[in-house]
Amino acid sequence: MTLHPVSPNTVLANALTSAEDALAPRIRAAAPERIVFVVGTQINGAPHIGTSLVQSLAFAVAARVGARYALPVEVLFSALDNAPYSIVTDDASGHRYQLDYAHALGVTGITDQVGRLYRPLFQALSERLAVPYRVETYTQQQASEHYRQSWLRVLPRMAAASWWLAPSTGLPHVRVPCPQTGCGWAEKYAQRTRVHLSRDGAIVEAVCLGHGPYEVAITPTGGGYLDLATLYRNLVKELTLTADRGTLYVMVKGGDWVFGSNLVDGALQAVGLSLGQLPARLYCPQIVTDTGAKLSKSLIREGRAPLPDGAQPWMLDTREWPGSLAEYVDRLLALAEVLLSDPRHFFRAYSAGELGRMMTAPATRSVPTR
């Protein structure tokens, strides 16, 4: 069996010489002073191989683009500490409530979680490729004045964007957890949450599982914890980032985001952005099972899907990699070199077994396919 992947041609791959060429139109049009590659992850446990793959490719692509355009580059790790930590159902209403990691663990717990599970890999990749990085939690992001101002500016135009963000209901979810000390629970699907513009910002009305109805004021500089459903959150985040004229932000995502990003882009245009103002995006190879489904550690751990043929336990929890962190980084960067050696290798999916084979092969080298 050959060590290099055998990849079919595609329309996109046929139009490119290298994978990073997909970013060339945006880089040339924006003429930025620097480029930031944004990679986000729910920090709801140990990372799996798909997470590590996207993160390592963010650094690898950043290094290549920085050298090619002679521009400073950076990787921004968006640590999504608003991921659900616990979910319960209210017997009275039948509505589901969630407690997120930020409220369950607190600032110290989140700092420890990121430090244990993510910083070692980021630090190693940064040192190997000479690409700086920084970490920003969602808690920090939503508390920033710029983010809140962006959300408040969007509110009057939500009628235009709402069906893009929630195509099934037209009601994008806003979650502002109960502010009672030690609580932090919020209705997961925000069925009883209402948002009203006020003189200084917005007033959010909601109902707590244990404390009943409550109101929280959201202002540009303070107020409650502003948690938004995934597409809604990305709309506000990306709207915030596009306001930085000197920096081009590249959203680095797994291939499963292709479909969702279409909706986010529609929402961004609905609130006033032109096509040329939309964020640059780079979709990394997706790891799939033999059925073609995304490799899901949650489904496997819940017993709803088997570990695919050829997959190893370390692929679901990278802490179980049978070797050192340095060796893991070596294998990830060797894999990145192969995937970036030809657009045919980058813009495609890989089975868990094939990716595991490429990661554990004694030497992984690509051969020309053109």
Side-chain angles (χ1 to χ4, degrees), residues 25-367:
R26 296 306 310 277
I27 295 173
R28 294 185 179 278
E33 298 172 5
R34 68 184 189 121
I35 304 176
V36 176
F37 292 79
V38 183
V39 57
T41 300
Q42 287 191 340
I43 56 170
N44 56 350
H48 60 84
I49 182 58
T51 300
S52 291
L53 178 64
V54 173
Q55 291 170 349
S56 60
L57 285 171
F59 277 92
V61 173
R64 290 166 70 104
V65 168
R68 176 171 173 175
Y69 294 96
L71 288 171
V73 294
E74 180 186 54
V75 170
L76 170 59
F77 176 41
S78 183
L80 302 177
D81 57 350
N82 61 327
Y85 178 85
S86 181
I87 298 175
V88 299
T89 300
D90 176 23
D91 292 335
S93 65
H95 297 170
R96 304 181 78 190
Y97 278 78
Q98 73 174 45
L99 180 70
D100 59 35
Y101 270 78
H103 288 86
L105 302 186
V107 174
T108 301
I110 292 298
T111 301
D112 177 66
Q113 181 106 326
V114 173
R116 287 186 300 105
L117 300 179
Y118 296 94
R119 275 195 184 273
L121 178 60
F122 272 76
Q123 189 63 35
L125 289 168
S126 177
E127 293 172 358
R128 284 286 302 274
L129 296 175
V131 173
Y133 80 97
R134 60 188 172 94
V135 176
E136 181 183 58
T137 64
Y138 178 76
T139 295
Q140 293 169 323
Q141 185 182 80
Q142 64 82 35
S144 71
E145 182 176 356
H146 199 182
Y147 186 92
R148 288 174 175 241
Q149 285 179 334
S150 295
W151 179 67
L152 290 169
R153 284 197 299 268
V154 162
L155 283 181
R157 312 182 80 166
M158 277 305 294
S162 60
W163 286 97
W164 287 102
L165 300 176
S168 297
T169 64
L171 299 173
H173 304 149
V174 178
R175 289 183 290 263
V176 176
C178 176
Q180 290 284 344
T181 302
C183 187
W185 287 87
E187 248 183 347
K188 182 172 179 59
Y189 299 113
Q191 293 97 329
R192 293 178 289 187
T193 298
R194 301 292 179 267
V195 181
H196 309 283
L197 285 170
S198 67
R199 178 179 172 182
D200 300 319
I203 300 296
V204 178
E205 300 174 353
V207 180
C208 177
L209 177 66
H211 299 103
Y214 61 92
E215 288 188 0
V216 177
I218 302 291
T219 70
T221 57
Y225 190 98
L226 180 60
D227 186 15
L228 307 174
T230 303
L231 298 180
Y232 198 173
R233 180 186 70 235
N234 276 261
L235 166 72
V236 177
K237 177 185 76 173
E238 294 175 4
L239 191 63
T240 302
L241 296 179
T242 56
D244 188 343
R245 302 300 181 189
T247 302
L248 176 65
Y249 289 89
V250 178
M251 306 298 139
V252 183
K253 297 181 176 292
D256 56 314
W257 255 98
V258 170
F259 311 108
S261 292
N262 287 333
L263 294 172
V264 176
D265 287 346
L268 286 167
Q269 292 178 81
V271 299
L273 264 61
S274 67
L275 184 62
Q277 293 174 309
L278 298 180
R281 304 188 190 281
L282 185 67
Y283 300 104
C284 298
Q286 186 174 0
I287 305 174
V288 299
T289 68
D290 52 356
T291 69
K294 173 185 172 181
L295 179 68
S296 169
K297 65 179 179 181
S298 299
L299 292 180
I300 294 172
R301 288 174 178 172
E302 293 169 3
R304 299 166 60 191
L307 187 68
D309 290 342
Q312 301 297 322
W314 65 264
M315 301 182 77
L316 302 182
D317 184 341
T318 57
R319 295 174 299 178
E320 297 185 20
W321 169 262
S324 66
L325 174 63
E327 182 189 22
Y328 185 57
V329 171
D330 286 343
R331 297 302 179 94
L332 282 172
L333 291 180
L335 177 61
E337 180 183 349
V338 171
L339 299 182
L340 290 167
S341 68
D342 191 309
R344 298 185 188 192
H345 300 336
F346 192 88
F347 297 106
R348 54 161 289 187
Y350 288 86
S351 70
E354 174 70 356
L355 197 85
R357 182 186 69 80
M358 294 170 65
M359 277 284 289
T360 57
T364 309
R365 291 291 183 268
S366 179
V367 298

